[in-house]
């Protein structure tokens, strides 16, 4: 099953409160989805993910297709069982990684031939193959196979790419049979060109997907451009269906996305920077390896009540990073994900109480954002 | 406070059941102590350590002295607070690492001058300095500063070394003042020479420590020699005090040690091999990265009820190691430590029921030991 309930719209912006219902549980929106690229959110157990309030995670079709391979996950009984996660999973289509990670891509109308970034072996993914893989993975929300065009790209390039992505989306829709258990989202492309975004959005909506994502943003363009294109695009998206902005996970990008009517987002940012010792706090980012924290026995963030902040000092976490102890990466990951998930919870609360922009402004002021 | 209660002696061997009471809690013996070298048992949180039944952990004076430095831990309020562990801690004296890790050692009667294995800086540890550091760390059980002699070593070398270790032990005892909160153990040395072991044991016992450890074994000698020297040595150790064999952590070494009257042991083995993908099972060691486990959806060990075995398959854990995911190391570490701690619990049970040798023989047969 799949249902989206729009619970409330803000009066001060396009921010909206909603709920998605899937076979593996409910998701309150707007939501941030931690990324478990290779069937694990790096350093975390499923129980830890639940403890910090994760309602849904994302996993990557391209990576799982290469390793361990779809056959293994099929024999395991699907991705939920394989990785011991019983809440909703969203998988991407593999499109983004095929275009960003693999070598020697050859794009045809049929699909994309590429070489694995692991061993150089020749691989092929088409819209149908992407759906087949995702059907085997058994994720609750699956994505249509698309091309995430680079930035910058010419109007001519974007037009060709966007139109092929539309044709691929149609093929995905026709090929997807497991509709009771898995819900297919279409992806709106069109680069930074409004006319292209409008065509992509209108055509995708005409195909009547259960949800839509905005792809091809946060690919290197200035945030002002992203905001403008996003704002323009969401106006063409139906209010009755969830809207997902792909690849966005810093606090400001999440606020800006929600302000423009986005319900879902994902990014490796919080987990990746955590493993490098960068943590998010209410007063901005902090590089915990810095010597100034050597004798600082306060928590990472005084306002945070995550497991890390309740139990460990900056000095201890700095020591762990300083001597390359894995527990340091674990504690920073728990903190960063909790920070974002709690922020999203506060955002939902602010929409419910209709003070979203006020909350955003307060957060920005403290965090140091303009 | 510190108390050792001898609860039961086996009729089939020198195996004994006991209990140690410290300010931070009780320890049932025989016990295996997970090693938290640098103020963290690698990959684990304190809560996870408790969940698998850890009653006491060991940490290393030498490593903490170099990083983060004793001053930081002093300012944190001691090692327990620094690392968020409220159960007993045993610290070694630094002796073993000074002799095994550092460069350019210069041993004098006063102490050892050496170069840090981290940055080459010149350092000095004497019996008094070792006690000072351990007093600051605040560990419940602290060790006298000793030389762990290499194997093989001449009788002449061992005699000089062992006698200096006796003089150092006396200095440690005189220097240690915080006797209400921290209990000092003496270390019996003497290499593989029985006459040296006898002198070392008799003299240490004369100094009247609250507990004694056997050092300088499991340093490369065949297990038969270790067993013989250990068996000989424990006969000189008082029954009323705990006996600790340093640096032993494989199942067979633990059984052999307990059989010869040992109450405590520690080793990095279970955690170190776990991070390389080697796990202990009731049917012997298993290299989980092996391709034969690719489609094996059974747990690491069918007879194990640890978190890892209850929730994950060999195929999933193999995948995690195959793609270098930290969760793989975590799951293997949890399993290996649980395996040994559970084995020690079974050993205690077998002593209580007076069937220790029967349990040992059954275990060996299944595990593949002779």
């Amino acid at each position: 099953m799949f249902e989206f309930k729009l619970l409330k719209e803000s009066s001060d912006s396009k921010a909206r409160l909603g709920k998605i219902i899937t076979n593996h549980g409910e998701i309150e929106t707007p939501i941030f989805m931690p990324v478990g690229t290779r069937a694990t959110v790096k350093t975390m157990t499923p129980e830890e993910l639940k403890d910090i309030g994760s309602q849904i995670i994302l996993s990557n079709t391209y990576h799982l297709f290469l390793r361990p391979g779809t056959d293994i996950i099929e024999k395991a009984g699907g991705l939920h069982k394989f990785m011991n996660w019983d809440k909703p999973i969203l998988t991407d289509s593999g499109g983004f990684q095929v275009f960003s990670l693999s070598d020697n891509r050859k794009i045809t109308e049929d699909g994309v031939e590429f070489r694995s970034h692991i061993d150089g072996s020749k691989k092929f993914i088409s819209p149908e193959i992407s759906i087949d893989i995702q059907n085997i993975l058994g994720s609750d929300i699956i994505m249509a196979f698309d091309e995430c065009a680079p930035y910058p790209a010419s109007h001519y390039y974007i037009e060709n790419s966007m139109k092929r992505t539309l044709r691929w989306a149609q093929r995905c829709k026709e090929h997807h049979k497991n509709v009771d258990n898995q819900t297919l989202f279409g992806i709106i492309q069109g680069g930074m060109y409004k006319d292209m975004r409008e065509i992509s959005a209108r055509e995708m909506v005409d195909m009547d997907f259960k949800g839509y994502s905005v792809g091809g943003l946060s690919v290197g363009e200035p945030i002002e451009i992203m905001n403008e294109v996003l704002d323009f695009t969401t106006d063409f998206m139906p209010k009755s269906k969830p809207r997902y902005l792909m690849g966005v996970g810093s606090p400001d990008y999440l606020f800006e996305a929600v302000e423009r009517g986005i319900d879902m987002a994902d990014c490796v940012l919080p987990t990746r920077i955590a493993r490098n010792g960068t943590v998010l706090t209410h007063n901005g980012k902090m590089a915990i390896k810095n010597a100034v924290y050597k004798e600082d026995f306060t928590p990472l963030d005084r306002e945070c009540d995550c497991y890390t902040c309740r139990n460990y000092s900056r000095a201890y976490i700095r020591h762990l990073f300083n001597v390359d102890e894995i527990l340091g990466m674990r504690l920073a990951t728990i903190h960063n994900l909790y920070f974002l998930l709690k922020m999203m919870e506060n955002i939902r609360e602010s929409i419910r109480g209709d003070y979203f922009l006020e909350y955003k402004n307060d957060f920005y002021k403290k965090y140091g954002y303009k």
Side-chain angles (χ1 to χ4, degrees), chain A:
Chain A
M1 75 166 299
F2 184 87
E3 201 184 327
F4 175 67
K5 290 182 184 170
L6 181 61
L7 300 176
K8 169 143 191 163
E9 292 179 283
S10 289
S11 67
D12 59 10
S13 69
K14 286 155 73 178
R16 35 200 252 140
L17 188 74
K19 183 184 276 187
I20 295 170
I21 303 162
T22 77
N23 285 341
H24 284 96
E26 300 186 356
I27 305 150
E28 298 171 275
T29 63
I31 191 75
F32 174 77
M33 305 183 282
V35 179
T37 305
R38 301 183 294 202
T40 165
V41 174
K42 288 188 194 301
T43 82
M44 301 276 288
T45 62
E47 290 77 9
E48 287 167 344
L49 284 167
K50 289 179 194 170
D51 282 349
I52 59 169
S54 309
Q55 301 181 47
I56 174 172
I57 61 168
L58 182 144
S59 199
N60 294 106
T61 291
Y62 169 87
H63 288 99
L64 298 175
F65 172 61
L66 297 183
R67 293 186 302 191
T70 324
D71 54 328
I72 304 287
I73 296 180
E74 182 167 27
K75 283 175 183 154
L79 184 56
H80 287 90
K81 278 186 81 174
F82 185 60
M83 69 180 289
N84 186 35
W85 173 257
D86 57 10
K87 284 179 175 270
I89 299 176
L90 182 150
T91 46
D92 62 7
S93 66
F96 180 74
Q97 282 78 21
V98 163
F99 290 96
S100 64
L101 285 180
S102 69
D103 291 324
N104 293 324
R105 282 174 304 281
K106 211 178 111 194
I107 312 175
T108 62
E109 186 60 26
D110 197 22
V112 188
E113 194 181 280
F114 61 96
R115 288 191 179 275
S116 156
H117 78 288
I118 310 295
D119 60 7
S121 63
K122 211 179 264 187
K123 303 281 179 185
F124 179 73
I125 296 187
S126 65
E128 290 78 12
I129 292 173
S130 172
I131 296 298
D132 284 341
I133 299 170
Q134 293 183 80
N135 284 165
I136 288 169
L137 296 177
S139 29
D140 302 272
I141 300 174
I142 68 178
M143 303 302 298
F145 191 65
D146 66 328
E147 178 185 357
C148 177
Y151 174 82
S154 69
H155 192 275
Y156 176 80
Y157 183 95
I158 291 290
E159 182 164 16
N160 276 319
S161 164
M162 178 272 285
K163 288 189 170 165
R164 188 171 46 231
T165 287
L166 285 173
R167 294 188 295 274
W168 284 356
Q170 184 61 43
R171 282 165 57 189
C172 285
K173 192 157 193 283
E174 283 161 17
H175 194 72
H176 176 49
K177 298 288 182 281
N178 187 22
V179 289
D180 287 343
N181 299 311
Q182 299 185 282
T183 298
L184 177 63
F185 279 24
I187 303 178
I188 298 165
Q189 290 287 354
M192 307 305 153
Y193 302 103
K194 287 185 180 171
D195 58 337
M196 297 292 100
R197 286 279 167 189
E198 181 174 344
I199 293 171
S200 180
R202 286 189 190 278
E203 299 268 339
M204 282 289 170
V205 172
D206 276 352
M207 284 186 232
D208 195 24
F209 288 95
K210 291 277 176 71
Y212 301 94
S213 86
V214 182
L217 289 183
S218 189
V219 289
E221 79 282 7
I223 189 168
E224 296 75 22
I225 294 186
M226 184 194 87
N227 287 343
E228 203 183 315
V229 175
L230 182 61
D231 208 10
F232 178 83
T233 305
T234 52
D235 281 343
F236 295 95
M237 299 168 80
K239 287 195 169 179
S240 59
K241 294 183 177 177
R243 305 159 173 175
Y244 160 31
L245 178 61
M246 309 177 92
V248 153
S250 64
D252 52 347
Y253 276 58
L254 289 168
F255 270 106
E256 300 299 329
V258 168
E259 186 174 342
R260 287 160 183 84
I262 288 297
D263 307 304
M264 308 159 72
D266 78 285
C267 193
V268 297
L269 180 132
T271 44
R272 179 171 291 166
I273 66 174
R275 295 195 305 284
N276 291 324
T278 300
V279 293
L280 305 168
T281 82
H282 284 89
N283 300 105
K285 277 200 263 186
M286 174 194 287
I288 194 63
K289 294 180 194 174
N290 198 307
V292 300
Y293 304 119
K294 211 173 159 181
E295 301 186 4
D296 186 339
F297 299 102
T298 63
L300 291 179
D301 185 347
R302 281 173 196 278
E303 292 181 48
C304 180
D305 58 355
C306 78
Y307 169 75
T308 303
C309 290
R310 277 186 284 112
N311 292 294
Y312 304 93
S313 66
R314 295 171 175 183
Y316 180 64
I317 297 168
R318 180 188 178 273
H319 161 67
L320 293 176
F321 272 100
N322 199 33
V323 296
D324 291 322
E325 286 285 355
I326 282 170
L327 184 59
M329 292 195 264
R330 288 185 59 190
L331 297 179
T333 301
I334 288 170
H335 170 78
N336 276 0
L337 283 180
Y338 182 89
F339 183 89
L340 283 190
L341 292 169
K342 186 79 187 173
M343 187 189 87
M344 295 308 285
E345 190 185 317
N346 290 338
I347 284 177
R348 290 194 296 273
E349 207 46 55
S350 77
I351 300 170
R352 189 173 285 117
D354 210 11
Y355 57 89
F356 169 74
L357 280 188
E358 195 185 319
Y359 175 58
K360 180 195 165 195
N361 290 335
D362 287 350
F363 187 98
Y364 274 38
K365 209 174 290 169
K366 222 197 261 174
Y367 198 92
Y369 285 137
K370 297 284 174 200

